[in-house]
């Protein structure tokens, strides 16, 4: 019946937003081809899952060009150690603080499809099962072979330590493919 609320997993709220910022939100949503509601959901989700925790950890945004340049100066072993230690702790924190059960599906949903993607760790992610039944995690980025190697090695270790799944990885200059044995 017209006017009935749809049953969904959303809450209706009333917000009071400064007119100037709301006009910017409307313009941005229109430029992106989405509704204000969709944009606000995205902004709030990113804040709760990424930017809020980053503020607590005194995180900072690093432009792509700066990060690419920085990679040249970090020795491979040090880079791997940094990603492993900080990544391991960050991922465990996401699960524990969010009350999220440790599973490969939740790792995909919360870490790979959201937080790491939004943080710029890579620009494209997809997952699928190959003909052998292995779960394939494909990460595309523009940071070069060094980043592919560090990403593949560190995520394989993290997947083993947190989820107890064996994996292997293959790399190119712009892609890291991790095959996870989920059998």
């Amino acid at each position: 019946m017209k006017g009935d609320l749809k049953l969904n997993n959303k809450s209706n709220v009333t917000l009071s937003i400064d007119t100037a910022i709301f006009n910017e939100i409307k313009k941005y949503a229109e430029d992106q081809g989405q509704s204000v509601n969709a944009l606000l959901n995205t902004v709030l989700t990113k804040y709760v899952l990424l930017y809020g925790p980053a503020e607590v950890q005194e995180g900072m945004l690093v432009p792509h060009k700066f990060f690419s340049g920085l990679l040249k100066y970090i020795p491979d072993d040090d880079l791997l150690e940094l990603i492993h230690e900080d990544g391991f702790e960050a991922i465990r924190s996401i699960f524990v603080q969010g009350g999220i059960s440790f599973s490969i599906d939740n790792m995909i949903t919360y870490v790979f499809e959201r937080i790491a993607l939004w943080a710029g760790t890579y620009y494209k992610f997809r997952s699928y099962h190959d003909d052998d039944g292995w779960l394939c995690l494909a990460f595309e980025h523009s940071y070069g072979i060094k980043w592919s190697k560090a990403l593949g090695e560190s995520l394989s270790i993290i997947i083993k330590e947190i989820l107890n799944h064996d994996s292997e990885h293959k790399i190119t200059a712009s892609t890291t493919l991790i095959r996870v044995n989920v059998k």
Side-chain angles (χ1 to χ4, degrees):
M1 173 175 245
K2 188 175 180 181
D4 287 346
L5 293 176
K6 294 180 183 177
L7 293 178
N8 59 33
N9 199 17
K10 299 187 183 240
S11 298
N12 292 320
V13 297
T14 301
L15 298 173
S16 179
I17 301 172
D18 290 334
T19 302
I21 194 66
F22 186 69
N23 289 336
E24 291 294 322
I25 291 169
K26 287 193 308 188
K27 183 179 180 325
Y28 187 84
E30 184 178 298
D31 291 346
Q32 297 298 310
Q34 61 182 339
S35 69
V36 169
N37 189 67
L39 175 61
L40 289 175
N41 271 298
T42 299
V43 167
L44 293 172
T45 300
K46 284 184 179 182
Y47 184 81
V48 169
L49 296 177
L50 176 64
Y51 298 116
E55 284 180 1
V56 170
Q57 296 176 12
E58 299 177 3
M60 61 185 277
L61 296 174
V62 178
H64 180 275
K65 190 173 182 178
F66 181 82
F67 182 72
S68 293
L70 192 61
L71 279 176
K72 295 175 190 174
Y73 299 104
I74 302 173
D76 291 5
D77 290 342
D78 293 344
L79 179 60
L80 182 61
E81 185 177 332
L82 280 169
I83 297 170
H84 176 252
E85 288 178 6
D86 293 344
F88 182 82
E89 192 55 40
I91 291 169
R92 285 187 50 78
S93 178
I94 290 164
F95 282 91
V96 171
Q97 290 180 9
I100 302 164
S101 63
F102 290 91
S103 72
I104 192 68
D105 290 336
N106 285 338
M107 179 82 79
I108 290 169
T109 299
Y110 291 97
V111 178
F112 300 147
E113 290 180 342
R114 294 180 183 176
I115 297 169
L117 180 66
W118 296 336
T121 307
Y122 39 83
Y123 66 81
K124 185 176 182 182
F125 168 78
R126 74 181 194 108
S127 63
Y128 59 91
H129 285 85
D130 66 13
D131 293 339
D132 297 325
W134 287 56
L135 173 64
C136 296
L137 309 171
F139 306 88
E140 291 183 46
H141 61 85
S142 56
Y143 299 119
I145 196 76
K146 184 176 187 174
W147 185 245
S148 288
K149 181 180 176 185
L151 194 61
E153 289 181 22
S154 61
L155 288 179
S156 290
I157 292 168
I158 289 169
I159 288 168
K160 178 64 175 174
E161 290 181 2
I162 292 179
L163 302 174
N164 200 30
H165 287 294
D166 292 321
S167 65
E168 60 188 36
H169 61 277
K170 298 177 183 179
I171 60 170
T172 69
S174 62
T175 304
T176 300
L177 176 68
I178 300 176
R179 294 181 69 231
V180 182
N181 186 353
V182 291
K183 299 176 194 176

